[in-house]
Structures are given as structure tokens and as C-alpha cells.
Amino acid sequence: MKVAVIGAGVVGVTTAYELAADGHAVSVYERHATVASGTSFANAGVLAPGYVTPWAAPGMAWKVISHLFSSHAPVRFTLASLVTHMPWLWRWQRACRPAVYQANRAAMLSLARYSSERRHNLAQPEPLDYEQRRGLLVLLRSAAELRRAHANLAALHGLGVNAALLDRAAAFAVEPGLNLATPLAGALHLPDDELGNCRQFSHLMKARAQALGASFLFQHDVHKIEPGTQPLVHGLALNNGRPSASSARFDAVVVCAGHQANALLAPLGQRLPLVPVYGYSLTAPLRLDERNPAVGPHAALMDERYKVAITRLGVRIRVAGSAELGGHPDRHNPAALRTLYKVLDDWFPGAAQMNQAQAWKGARPMLPDGPPIIGSALAPGVWLNLGHGSSGWALACGSARVLADLLIQRKPQVDLARLSPQRLGA
């Protein structure tokens, strides 16, 4: 089949690769100048199936309210954004019910594990170097956080996740560069979880997809999917307003366009409860010192109180976090950046050359209940692989394979009950 993929973030690129590997003629359309230029550009880099979980969780609404007046709130919103997104928030609150949360978490964990397996398979026969490292340490600042981690540990073990609670001394043995002056009650260690450079991986997968015949058309902003007559053939209208050339007709169109997807799907009669939730990151060179090789993090860490991740990407350090509902994609919230600076300084003071730090803001495409949508759209021949939220990097490879299997009517290796568009009435 001739297949168009709309969007070249990590989800779109891995989808293009899997489709090309199945023998399809694939064309990828991307509005930016290269792959991974949006949400995939500077995310935290954490690949932690054990920590992939829905944002809609029991007690989450109270946690958000309790941080309302905090200067370092992990979730930020305005009154205007609450009004604008009220229907989405209502669905999100309903998804926080324990039974719904447990089903969604299990679905996301299953997909994350499958994605990890697929990503590791891609390293054969030729290894991929995307600055990957192994191990996640969740830092617990207080006794209360440690008690909650004890309860969470049983749940992780029940899901088959390799995790252990460490005391302060053991945590410093795992990450010797941690600041001794910052209070630390203990840590949750997930040794099998990983981190990696999402943008670098996306470029590697682009090259592999191209080697299989996929073509990438950059600075092509698709603003309309034009349904054809039977047999199912579709055209795309590009940013200049003109239909694509007659040669650019497709048997199938796969939408991996993140939160912009609704603009493409609404004219086809489909509206998804999909909103952008913005995240922030800072990336700076490490201040390397041969006399002190422990400077900076060894792998990945998560500050449980502030929901901020700190990762080592080669000779750089990245600190990422915040969840901002509403706001403008091109305007940085100074308070969100101050939280990132604070957490980095708390744990690794002086480890990075912050005068060279690059600040970034990206839109996570969030559905109210957590799992992404993978499957057929209402319009025949149009397919969806989107809504991965903050877990796109961890779920991308598995989602791509599931979509490719569905396209050729092969049974996927994961349960689709919590991944289909139908679960949301979409």
C-alpha cells in the first residue's frame, strides 16, 4: 500500500519505519524542518515502563489543588484554561476512579514493556547509539514520601516491575554525585529502567526508514485530509492551500500529529478529547572534572516531590518537568523554569555550565484517561497513533508496531481494549 504518515516526532518516525519494514511505500509529512522538532525534541529522556502511569490517578485532583499556591507546583494552570478545558477535565476526573486507573495503568505498562522489547530488537544486528543508560532512582525527600513509596512498591511488584526501596546510604552508592546537603529519606530504585536521547533515536530511525524506501517531506504542513472514492484513496492538502500532486495519492493515511490532530480529523467527523499539556526542560553541558568523575548524575533520577527528572545524556545534563495546562507554546513560564533550576541545584549544584543552558517547552498531546489511541478513525482508510502524553518516548516503538499490524489486519501482541478510539466514544 501507499501510506502517508502525518507527523515526524518519535511516534511518527517509528511508525514510518515499521510500515516500511512491512513493505509499504511510505511518505512522511512534517511541518518542521526535520524530525523530532516538537514534543520529541528535548524531553526528559526517561524510558521507564515501571513508571509509565496515567496522569488520571486516584487523589490526583486533590494533589493539584494542594499545589495551587505553591511557588514550585508540578502542575500549573490558569482560571481561563480551567474554563476552556472543562469538558476534558470532567472526563479526566472520571478516569481517576481506582478501577479505571488500574485498567489504564495495566494497559500502558503492557504497551511500554512491548515498546521496550521492540526498541531493543532494533539494535540487532547493528547497535544504535542514542546515549542510552540504565537505571532510574526516584528521590524521596521526606518520611511521608518514603511511606507512600512503600505502598507503591507493593503495586510495582504486583505488576512485575523490578524495584527496591533504598536507604540514604544505598541511594548515594547508586548516584554518588548527589548533594549531601539536601535532605533525602530514601529512594525507589528501578534498575531495569533506562534513559536515552529521544531526538537522536528519531534521527537514527529516520535513516533506517529511508533505507527501506520511506520518503520524508519536511516543511510540509498538512491542513486537510481529502477523502477519495472507492477504492479508498486519499489526498493531502498542504500549507500552500493546493492539493498535493496527483501522484501523491494514498491508500491509507496515519495521523501521528500530536495535539494538532483534531484540526485534521474534525472535518472527517471525528473529535478527540486531546489537549496540549506543556512540559519544560533545561539542557546544559556537564562541568566535567577528571579528578571527580562522579560529577552529575550517572543515569536517570526523578524528584518525587516536584515531579522533575534529571538525566545524563552523554556529556550533558537535562532537567525536565512541569505540567502546564493552557498557556502559549512560544512563551515560557518563569516559575516553571525556576523549579527546574531549583531541583538541579538541590541535587547537583555546580555540576552543569548553566550559562550555556538551553530552555525548551513542548506540548504533550494528552487524552483524559492516559493511554494513547491506536487504531482506525471514523473515516475509512484513516488511522490514528497519537495521544501518548508524557510517555510518547517510552511507548513509541510498541505503538508503531501495533499500528502497522492493524493496518495489515494482523493481530497485535498487546491487548487493544484500552487503546482503541472507541473507548472514548471517538
Side-chain angles (χ1 to χ4, degrees):
M1 283 192 285
K2 291 185 67 175
V3 184
V5 176
I6 303 175
V10 66
V11 173
V13 173
T14 52
T15 299
Y17 168 80
E18 294 286 4
L19 291 170
D22 281 353
H24 300 293
V26 180
S27 300
V28 183
Y29 289 81
E30 169 56 48
R31 63 193 180 98
H32 292 108
T34 187
V35 301
S37 294
T39 308
S40 303
F41 182 79
N43 59 29
V46 177
L47 292 159
Y51 232 64
V52 168
T53 187
W55 201 39
M60 186 63 179
W62 169 247
K63 290 179 183 177
V64 171
I65 293 171
S66 67
H67 287 293
L68 187 59
F69 300 106
S70 170
S71 59
H72 296 293
V75 180
R76 301 177 187 278
F77 53 86
T78 64
L79 181 60
S81 67
L82 291 182
V83 174
T84 301
H85 297 302
M86 188 59 69
W88 186 93
L89 289 166
W90 181 81
R91 299 183 72 154
W92 169 75
Q93 174 61 22
R94 288 181 57 81
C96 290
R97 292 173 294 174
V100 179
Y101 165 76
Q102 293 297 343
N104 287 330
R105 186 180 188 186
M108 293 179 73
L109 176 61
S110 175
L111 182 58
R113 284 173 168 162
Y114 180 55
S115 187
S116 180
E117 176 187 321
R118 293 297 304 174
R119 181 168 39 81
H120 290 151
N121 288 343
L122 291 171
Q124 305 297 329
E126 183 181 345
L128 294 169
D129 179 11
Y130 48 96
E131 299 179 315
Q132 60 267 47
R133 288 172 177 254
R134 188 176 291 275
L136 171 65
L137 195 66
V138 182
L139 302 171
L140 309 168
R141 292 176 179 251
S142 69
E145 292 171 17
L146 186 60
R147 287 193 297 271
R148 288 193 292 269
H150 268 289
N152 190 36
L153 185 64
L156 289 172
H157 287 165
L159 293 168
V161 176
N162 182 15
L165 274 175
L166 307 182
D167 61 18
R168 178 182 171 88
F172 276 91
V174 173
E175 286 286 356
L178 285 168
N179 183 12
L180 290 166
T182 299
L184 180 65
L188 181 65
H189 188 212
L190 296 93
D192 296 336
D193 286 349
E194 300 174 86
L195 70 93
N197 188 325
C198 180
R199 181 171 179 265
Q200 190 166 315
F201 178 84
S202 299
H203 279 274
L204 293 171
M205 293 311 300
K206 167 181 171 278
R208 288 201 173 182
Q210 287 176 316
L212 293 172
S215 61
F216 286 76
L217 297 93
F218 295 110
Q219 295 181 313
H220 282 61
D221 189 2
V222 178
H223 69 84
K224 185 179 181 183
I225 300 171
E226 299 177 330
T229 56
Q230 297 290 339
L232 296 172
V233 178
H234 302 275
L236 303 178
L238 303 179
N239 53 359
N240 57 9
R242 294 178 297 170
S244 52
S246 58
S247 61
R249 307 291 291 181
F250 302 97
D251 303 300
V253 176
V254 183
V255 181
C256 305
H259 74 280
Q260 294 97 354
N262 271 334
L264 295 171
L265 298 173
L268 302 177
Q270 185 150 33
R271 295 183 182 276
L272 301 175
L274 189 66
V275 302
V277 177
Y278 295 99
Y280 290 80
S281 74
L282 295 167
T283 307
L286 279 165
R287 200 180 301 278
L288 297 176
D289 185 350
E290 293 181 359
R291 297 167 297 178
N292 183 17
V295 65
H298 173 72
L301 305 99
M302 173 68 71
D303 187 306
E304 179 66 14
R305 178 173 302 176
Y306 299 107
K307 306 300 183 185
V308 168
I310 304 173
T311 51
R312 184 186 187 116
L313 297 173
V315 294
R316 300 178 312 287
I317 191 169
R318 178 167 293 164
V319 53
S322 191
E324 182 181 279
L325 186 65
H328 192 279
D330 299 324
R331 288 198 293 268
H332 288 179
N333 186 328
L337 294 176
R338 282 195 297 270
T339 298
L340 300 187
Y341 278 107
K342 170 190 165 46
V343 172
L344 181 58
D345 190 59
D346 280 352
W347 296 114
F348 298 100
Q353 301 178 54
M354 298 310 292
N355 61 329
Q356 299 181 42
Q358 294 181 320
W360 170 86
K361 179 180 182 179
R364 306 165 181 142
M366 299 282 283
L367 292 161
D369 59 348
I373 283 180
I374 310 173
S376 58
L378 291 178
V382 178
W383 297 82
L384 310 175
N385 189 6
L386 45 81
H388 296 73
S390 59
S391 301
W393 178 204
L395 302 177
C397 293
S399 299
R401 186 63 254 167
V402 169
L403 188 285
D405 286 341
L406 289 172
L407 194 66
I408 58 175
Q409 300 183 23
R410 177 193 293 151
K411 184 179 180 180
Q413 295 186 38
V414 297
D415 186 357
L416 298 177
R418 306 301 303 175
L419 303 176
S420 70
Q422 288 71 33
R423 79 173 195 269
L424 294 167

